[in-house]
Amino acid sequence: QEPQSATIEAVGQHGVVIAEEATIYSDSNLKVDTGKRFFGDTVYVSKRAGDAYELTEEEDRYYISVNDVRLVSGETSEAPDDDVVDRFLPLFPQSVADSYLYYFSLLQKSEEEIKAKVQETAVERTDDSGKAVLDYPYYSIHFTLDGNDVAESITIKDINPSADGWEELKADAAAVTENQQSYYFLMGNYGVFVDLAKEEVTFTEVE
């Protein structure tokens, strides 16, 4: 419920969480804690009510402090998607770099199609936000599925943070955590989340 004094503004844009850990609430007064979102999570901001953004997730609505989200719709670069991935290739383990076009072709594919096309048997698990994950440890990749069991993102593990080009690349980040261990980029049709502590990079297609 929005407070009577709050000015309601339509937003209708995607955003990215820029706080290392952000609380989401069931009310726009930001009083009733209902969960967490983390740096690099993409969200859809339907409107602003005072100091809160209303987030729409399927049929659910939550609120978050405007200080914890950066609106990003319309800020993507004009780079073709293949060129975007190419910029991150030096970070990839060689086994992934050699076949990355194949793995990226599985984004937006169904769980059944991914399982049929990747030779290794998936380790199925749930991530911290409750989403299903198909993990392929041998190939150093995993896919995160949306509510329709379609791959919404691909994560490359065992990246090399000392790779040539990283110092130049990280200067293009849209958001960086204070400890400089997490970086978020908007390039082409991708939101790219680099986690140096976990040595992994996640690509999510954004509209």
Side-chain angles (χ1 to χ4, degrees), residues 24-179:
I24 57 172
Y25 303 86
S26 61
D27 64 298
S28 61
N29 291 313
L30 307 180
K31 300 293 185 184
V32 184
D33 182 338
T34 191
K36 300 289 184 184
R37 292 296 179 268
F38 301 93
F39 180 89
D41 285 352
T42 54
V43 294
Y44 183 77
V45 179
S46 55
K47 59 187 175 183
R48 177 170 180 166
D51 293 329
Y53 281 138
E54 181 183 274
L55 309 182
T56 304
E57 298 180 2
E58 296 180 355
E59 296 183 0
D60 296 322
R61 289 178 179 164
Y62 306 101
Y63 296 87
I64 193 169
S65 169
V66 296
N67 296 321
D68 291 338
V69 171
R70 176 178 173 180
L71 298 177
V72 295
S73 293
E75 293 187 8
T76 58
S77 72
E78 297 300 321
D81 291 348
D82 288 349
D83 290 350
V84 171
V85 180
D86 284 347
R87 294 197 65 187
F88 292 87
L89 274 184
L91 299 176
F92 293 4
Q94 195 60 46
S95 60
V96 178
D98 289 343
S99 305
Y100 80 93
L101 288 174
Y102 179 76
Y103 296 127
F104 275 77
S105 73
L106 298 176
L107 272 173
Q108 302 302 320
K109 297 296 190 293
S110 69
E111 175 182 2
E112 292 77 12
E113 190 169 352
I114 294 169
K115 287 179 175 178
K117 291 191 173 183
V118 180
Q119 292 182 350
E120 183 186 4
T121 300
V123 176
E124 299 184 43
R125 59 181 176 83
T126 302
D127 67 12
D128 293 339
S129 62
K131 292 183 177 180
V133 174
L134 299 180
D135 202 344
Y136 295 95
Y138 180 80
Y139 296 110
S140 297
I141 61 172
H142 72 246
F143 297 93
T144 300
L145 308 180
D146 63 16
N148 297 314
D149 294 329
V150 170
E152 66 178 13
S153 68
I154 180 173
T155 298
I156 315 300
K157 297 177 284 187
D158 304 321
I159 65 171
N160 177 15
S162 302
D164 290 342
W166 170 242
E167 289 299 317
E168 178 181 355
L169 178 58
K170 71 182 185 182
D172 292 333
V176 185
T177 54
E178 289 185 10
N179 63 8

